[in-house]
Amino acid sequence: MKFPSPSSADAVVSISGLSRHFGTKAALDDVSLFVARGSVLGLVGENGAGKTTLIKHLLGMFKAQVGTVRVFGLDPVLDPVGVLSGVGYLSERRDLPGWMRVDEFMRYTQAFYPGWDEAYAGSLLKQFQLDPAQKIKTLSQGQQAKIGLLTSVAYRPALLILDEPSSGLDPVVRRDILEVVIRMVAEEGRTVIFSSHLLDEVERVADHVVMLQKGRVVLNGRTEAVRGDHISALLSFEEPPAQMPALVGAHAVAGYGSEWRVLYAGSRLELAAAAAQIGACVIEERTPTLDEILVARAGGKSS
Ligand code: ATP
């Protein structure tokens, strides 16, 4: 499948033909992807789809077995300092030193980054209502996520990478930290890549979405365009089929008797024509959510 891509001059991240195997298992399979400056990219996919493996290549933690990876035009394995000095990273596990106090951890992180913006760090500390004197191990999960995020953005990295930043967080903390920070970073012309299982969150925050499935890129585009390229349709059959007949471009979602819901990739006209060919008519259609698209693609059978 060919996907549109920005010119490589705009690309903060440029990945071409990247494959990665663990033993015989393909964690990434011929992945090509460009991330333009100033965009917020949501990386989605089921457990084990390859999101973390992809992120680890961006950070130089994995060397490309096949293909190329460039961040700011640099190879993260050959030039880790050039890449990592411009990257803010928050891992899924948020490995924070529990024995440090919040202010000690901030000073410690600051020492690594000449670009640390003290005023900005201070304003985030206030906004997140964190107590500088508190030990990290006594912070709640949400507070730990906030301090992790604070130290990932306070040196104003050109690229912010967040691996499942919301995992284990309640909706209020998620809204506080994620939307505010991601938007703020992107508004400054900086670039954000974040992986998430929470598709409604990706839909709200990301302007681009890349969906991985078994290591392959199955969707890549502007969030609204990805949704707009799909139709959630209810088909009605005159003769109830025992199972949903093959319908090219459709992923069967659910159904029984004479009514079946499908997720169709294509235009309304194409759907009507394809449905007529299998003896059905479309009785309801709407734009699906990203979640519906992911679930249908992951679980449904495409004909
Ligand atoms: P999750 O959402 O569960 O974090 P993911 O999309 O981030 O999943 P990855 O962690 O990238 O997926 O894993 C992709 C595949 O590669 C999985 O099948 C995983 O078991 C495998 N894998 C990842 N890292 C290793 C490793 N170090 N050794 C062996 N297999 C690995």
Side-chain angles (χ1 to χ4, degrees):
M1 202 185 296
K2 277 245 174 278
F3 298 113
S5 59
S7 78
S8 54
D10 301 332
V12 169
V13 166
S14 159
I15 296 175
S16 178
L18 177 65
S19 294
R20 169 87 199 189
H21 282 78
F22 293 107
T24 54
K25 189 175 176 90
L28 293 175
D29 186 1
D30 197 20
V31 168
S32 293
L33 132 79
F34 296 85
V35 185
R37 189 177 319 283
S39 58
V40 178
L41 174 77
L43 198 52
V44 305
E46 298 171 282
N47 288 121
K51 305 179 294 293
T52 301
T53 305
L54 182 66
I55 287 174
K56 286 182 173 173
H57 279 86
L58 299 179
L59 299 167
M61 292 156 83
F62 285 146
K63 185 175 182 324
Q65 289 173 330
V66 179
T68 56
V69 176
R70 296 288 178 270
V71 178
F72 314 130
L74 306 170
D75 182 331
V77 175
L78 295 181
D79 193 350
V81 174
V83 170
L84 295 180
S85 57
V87 172
Y89 170 57
L90 185 63
S91 80
E92 192 173 8
R93 292 176 51 217
R94 300 186 202 111
D95 311 299
L96 304 174
W99 51 274
M100 278 192 187
R101 295 189 337 198
V102 167
D103 55 355
E104 286 169 337
F105 182 56
M106 286 170 69
R107 275 202 299 279
Y108 166 82
T109 314
Q110 181 175 5
F112 290 94
Y113 297 99
W116 184 274
D117 183 336
E118 208 152 353
Y120 183 41
S123 76
L124 285 174
L125 196 69
K126 256 204 201 120
Q127 185 183 341
F128 290 162
Q129 298 177 322
L130 291 168
D131 173 2
Q134 200 169 343
K135 277 251 161 46
I136 288 180
K137 67 176 172 218
T138 65
L139 298 175
S140 70
Q141 230 190 343
Q143 287 169 322
Q144 293 201 14
K146 286 176 177 177
I147 184 69
L149 198 62
L150 185 157
T151 48
S152 312
V153 299
Y155 51 99
R156 297 194 179 270
L159 171 63
L160 177 62
I161 300 178
L162 308 169
D163 195 358
E164 294 287 350
S166 309
S167 70
L169 303 183
D170 68 55
V172 176
V173 178
R174 285 210 308 261
R175 191 202 54 214
D176 275 5
I177 67 167
L178 211 67
E179 295 199 12
V180 174
V181 175
I182 285 181
R183 279 283 149 227
M184 188 165 57
V185 170
E187 272 160 22
E188 293 173 352
R190 292 158 206 278
T191 309
V192 183
I193 299 177
F194 74 106
S195 75
S196 180
H197 282 109
L198 303 168
L199 279 284
D200 58 332
E201 177 178 287
V202 174
E203 209 166 290
R204 274 201 316 275
V205 177
D207 47 42
H208 275 77
V209 62
V210 164
M211 190 177 287
L212 287 174
Q213 193 171 21
K214 297 191 174 98
R216 294 188 70 87
V217 175
V218 292
L219 286 175
N220 179 357
R222 292 192 67 81
T223 310
E224 279 316 305
V226 165
R227 288 186 60 207
D229 287 345
H230 290 84
I231 303 167
S232 172
L234 191 59
L235 304 186
S236 173
F237 291 83
E238 230 165 79
E239 292 293 323
Q243 56 182 20
M244 173 74 194
L247 179 66
V248 176
H251 299 259
V253 177
Y256 181 72
S258 60
E259 289 191 1
W260 291 76
R261 180 157 297 276
V262 297
L263 192 278
Y264 184 75
S267 71
R268 290 185 152 71
L269 276 176
E270 288 163 343
L271 169 62
Q277 275 184 358
I278 56 168
C281 62
V282 181
I283 57 171
E284 183 211 300
E285 53 188 16
R286 62 178 167 76
T287 304
T289 62
L290 270 187
D291 196 44
E292 288 171 322
I293 295 171
L294 180 71
V295 169
R297 283 190 161 259
K301 266 200 164 323
S302 175
S303 332

